[in-house]
Amino acid sequence: MSTSLEGRVAVVTGAGAGLGRAEALAMAGAGADLVVNDLLGAADQVVDEVKALGRRVLVVEGDVAERSTADAMLAAAVDDLGRLDVVVNNAGMTRDRMLFNMSDEEFDSVVRVHLRGHFLLSRNAAAHWRAQAKQAGGPVYGSVVNTASEAFLSGPPGQANYGAAKAGIAALTVATARALGSSGVRANAICPRARTAMTAEVFGEDTSGEGVDPYSPEHVAPVVAYLASPAAERITGQVLVVYGGMVAVVAAPVVEQRFDTTGTTWTADELDQQLGGFFAERDPAVGFAADSIMRMTL
């Protein structure tokens, strides 16, 4: 199957800088026409860059967590550019704080932009594609690429809001893939490590000495363009860690150990013997999949 996006129309949110800009340019380079989104004035440069690649491009400015913005992005793609084939949900923000110091607004704003922002555009696109499939009497073309993060597994102590939002995005992605599979639509999530304005304090300056910064968005954007293409028709419902020339497919969580009561119901002593005994020799600072995901990618 072809990796070309010629004749396709893609929407990319948060496209004004960093990862979103790189993704928009990768899409345009593969042949797609674009609807790009960012806050007021932030996408002006990428619009010029997309035009320089010979592609049509429209900008929809606004907050991705507002229904009106999602509606405008769908309308720009379908009504003005003639179709919608790809959605790349990238827009995000951080408000880092330790859980015990985090305000209501700091939690709500991050979950709102990341998770609600992903939901609104995905929902609009899903309704459009499902209606198309019903009208056509069979599958149509559609691909959603969401932006999760390893934070949904590792649980950074200063990013309870961000980690929670990204966990929601991972679950939303799988639900999207399952809900739209019969319509021919695919959905996948990437967990990128990319040096952008949002992650500047995480990765710092590039000291690798390599020709391309291992944390450059240039390593991530080609993967997103590929996932959007017909060549990736068999890839759906997946979560992929992407950075530095590496793609790692994350396995679904599995049951590590099962315990069964020997009586009718659990007693505190039996729970302590079985469950407590299992964890007695383990480091309490490491839980769930945080240790395994970091071993896999570092």
Side-chain angles (χ1 to χ4, degrees):
M1 295 292 286
S2 174
T3 59
S4 172
L5 292 173
E6 190 72 34
R8 308 288 185 188
V9 173
V11 177
V12 182
T13 69
L19 186 56
R21 171 183 169 273
E23 291 167 341
L25 294 178
M27 294 281 180
D33 294 323
L34 295 176
V35 175
V36 296
N37 154 265
D38 216 310
L39 299 177
L40 184 63
D44 292 348
Q45 180 180 344
V46 75
V47 167
D48 292 339
E49 291 174 309
V50 171
K51 288 180 178 178
L53 293 172
R55 309 314 309 178
R56 295 183 298 164
V57 57
L58 296 175
V59 59
V60 173
E61 296 175 324
D63 179 355
V64 293
E66 291 289 342
R67 170 67 185 271
S68 59
T69 305
D71 290 349
M73 286 189 280
L74 179 65
V78 175
D79 298 338
D80 298 328
L81 295 182
R83 58 188 298 137
L84 174 65
D85 301 286
V86 179
V87 165
V88 178
N89 284 306
N90 166 75
M93 58 178 284
T94 55
R95 294 290 185 270
D96 295 354
R97 192 88 61 186
M98 295 298 286
L99 178 61
F100 40 80
N101 289 327
M102 186 172 291
S103 69
D104 296 0
E105 189 279 332
E106 287 166 338
F107 183 87
D108 291 345
S109 61
V110 169
V111 173
R112 176 180 176 275
V113 170
H114 285 274
L115 185 52
R116 177 177 165 85
H118 274 60
F119 159 72
L120 287 175
L121 182 55
S122 295
R123 188 269 316 282
N124 283 9
H128 169 72
W129 284 322
R130 185 169 182 269
Q132 278 194 320
K134 291 179 70 174
Q135 183 176 14
V140 296
Y141 190 93
S143 177
V144 177
V145 183
N146 289 332
T147 308
S149 168
E150 291 166 279
F152 92 91
L153 284 172
S154 61
Q159 292 187 314
N161 48 4
Y162 182 77
K166 293 303 189 181
I169 288 170
L172 175 65
T173 301
V174 176
T176 302
R178 290 182 172 176
L180 297 179
S182 62
S183 297
V185 178
R186 298 172 288 111
N188 295 286
I190 60 165
C191 298
R193 294 188 190 179
R195 196 187 312 278
T196 66
M198 196 173 77
T199 62
E201 294 184 5
V202 177
F203 297 122
E205 296 295 323
D206 176 22
T207 59
S208 67
E210 299 181 16
V212 178
D213 178 359
Y215 295 127
S216 170
E218 293 179 37
H219 290 295
V220 180
V223 179
V224 174
Y226 173 75
L227 290 173
S229 76
E233 65 175 358
R234 294 182 62 83
I235 306 175
T236 190
Q238 301 300 317
V239 177
L240 304 100
V241 177
V242 185
Y243 77 100
M246 182 211 75
V247 177
V249 180
V250 179
V254 298
V255 175
E256 181 178 357
Q257 185 71 35
R258 171 178 165 167
F259 303 94
D260 294 285
T261 180
T262 58
T264 305
T265 60
W266 285 106
T267 66
D269 287 343
E270 188 182 16
L271 281 169
D272 188 49
Q273 180 182 19
Q274 291 200 51
L275 192 59
F278 178 74
F279 287 101
E281 303 301 322
R282 300 183 64 166
D283 182 356
V286 177
F288 194 47
D291 55 344
S292 60
I293 190 73
M294 296 307 289
R295 284 199 303 270
M296 178 187 72
T297 58
L298 290 176

